[in-house]
Amino acid sequence: MQRRARSVPFDMFHGGFGHSGEDCTFETLCKEFRIRDARVRAIGGMVHDADLSDGKFGRMEAYGIDEVLKGWGTKGMPDREL
């Protein structure tokens, strides 16, 4: 796989950022880049709940977002188009 210059790989099998401990990739990135904005942390809770389905943050809206993403995934569209 060819990497673009200055890219930050994530959720890849070979290197880059990914899940760490109980954190999803989004949380890992926020910690690594020291992002502390409360709005981003709220989004992180949503992404965590949708990705890990553990209800850790109780963000019910995450399940709706997850269902939309799953639906798009069934359309066979390339990631670039999505």
Side-chain angles (χ1 to χ4, degrees), residues 66-78 82:
D66 193 40
E67 290 302 312
V68 169
L69 295 174
K70 285 178 189 174
W72 286 348
T74 65
K75 300 295 181 190
M77 296 165 55
L82 287 173

Side-chain angles (χ1 to χ4, degrees), residues 26-82:
F26 190 94
E27 294 168 294
T28 300
L29 287 166
C30 287
K31 286 180 180 177
E32 179 68 24
F33 293 103
R34 295 182 179 99
I35 298 171
R36 293 183 173 83
D37 186 293
R39 295 164 292 193
V40 175
R41 291 177 65 94
I43 293 168
M46 292 178 218
V47 172
H48 176 104
D49 282 354
D51 188 22
L52 301 177
S53 300
D54 63 3
K56 179 177 179 178
F57 295 98
R59 300 302 302 237
M60 297 306 294
E61 63 270 48
Y63 299 103
I65 294 167
D66 193 40
E67 290 302 312
V68 169
L69 295 174
K70 285 178 189 174
W72 286 348
T74 65
K75 300 295 181 190
M77 296 165 55
D79 286 344
R80 183 171 288 199
E81 189 175 333
L82 287 173

